[in-house]
Amino acid sequence: MQSDMRKLSVTEKIGYGFGDFASNLFWQMFSIFIAKYYTDVFLLGAATMGTMMLVTRVADAFIDPLIGSIADRTTTRWGHFRPYLLWMAIPMAVTAVLTFTTPSFGGTARVVYAYVTLSLMMVAYSAINIPYSALLGVLTPNSEDRTSACSYRFVMAFLPVFII
């Protein structure tokens, strides 16, 4: 290990932690309210909603590694991962709003709308969160700094649980 490596400052570690704070603030809200929303507001049957959750999570198991692979191969002047953090924020916000929007569709169209918006929101969330998680490996070559930054990240990640 080189002794002249620049260490991450506490401010940088806190800043890195705020990324997970923001992601988990969104995710906790989503996790806590989505089932109630789909059954009580969107008026999907519990079996339909449960099946939709299962199908989208299984699809997510295939999509996440694909997104990670694409992010690793991305080469821009901003790096591998930063473009996803910047460019996917608006699609994630839009798909989140659409996911929690109740259109006046009926029957099958309503179920299709729910599947499509939930799927798109999950892809947009993954397109931010997978590169964000991979970012830790390129923040610093110093393994002690990475471990410390990870500690800040996880402390910040659990704060939304208490806030929500």
Side-chain angles (χ1 to χ4, degrees):
M1 178 168 89
Q2 298 174 356
S3 61
D4 61 319
M5 280 193 284
R6 188 183 83 74
K7 296 182 76 87
L8 293 174
S9 70
V10 170
T11 304
E12 289 170 318
K13 292 174 188 176
I14 291 171
Y16 178 67
F18 268 116
D20 233 7
F21 176 84
S23 286
N24 279 309
L25 194 61
F26 173 83
W27 188 253
Q28 289 302 319
M29 184 269 312
F30 170 80
S31 297
I32 291 169
F33 297 116
I34 194 73
K36 183 160 182 58
Y37 167 76
Y38 275 134
T39 56
D40 294 356
V41 177
F42 204 82
L43 302 176
L44 291 180
T48 301
M49 185 271 303
T51 302
M52 181 177 64
M53 293 294 186
L54 176 66
V55 168
T56 57
R57 297 298 167 106
V58 169
D60 201 40
F62 294 97
I63 291 169
D64 285 358
L66 180 64
I67 289 172
S69 180
I70 292 168
D72 271 345
R73 289 176 175 81
T74 298
T75 305
T76 69
R77 64 181 176 169
W78 301 288
H80 294 290
F81 309 120
R82 187 179 298 156
Y84 296 95
L85 304 178
L86 298 171
W87 299 334
M88 291 308 296
I90 290 175
M92 187 175 90
V94 168
T95 58
V97 168
L98 291 174
T99 299
F100 284 99
T101 298
T102 307
S104 59
F105 304 148
T108 304
R110 192 176 194 81
V111 174
V112 169
Y113 178 86
Y115 266 90
V116 168
T117 56
L118 180 62
S119 298
L120 290 174
M121 194 279 302
M122 296 291 287
V123 169
Y125 181 80
S126 292
I128 286 180
N129 229 33
I130 300 295
Y132 174 77
S133 295
L135 184 63
L136 182 62
V138 297
L139 276 179
T140 177
N142 184 324
S143 64
E144 289 176 11
D145 255 0
R146 283 195 306 269
T147 301
S148 178
C150 194
S151 297
Y152 278 80
R153 174 187 174 192
F154 283 111
V155 166
M156 297 294 282
F158 286 110
L159 289 177
V161 174
F162 298 111
I163 292 170
I164 299 287

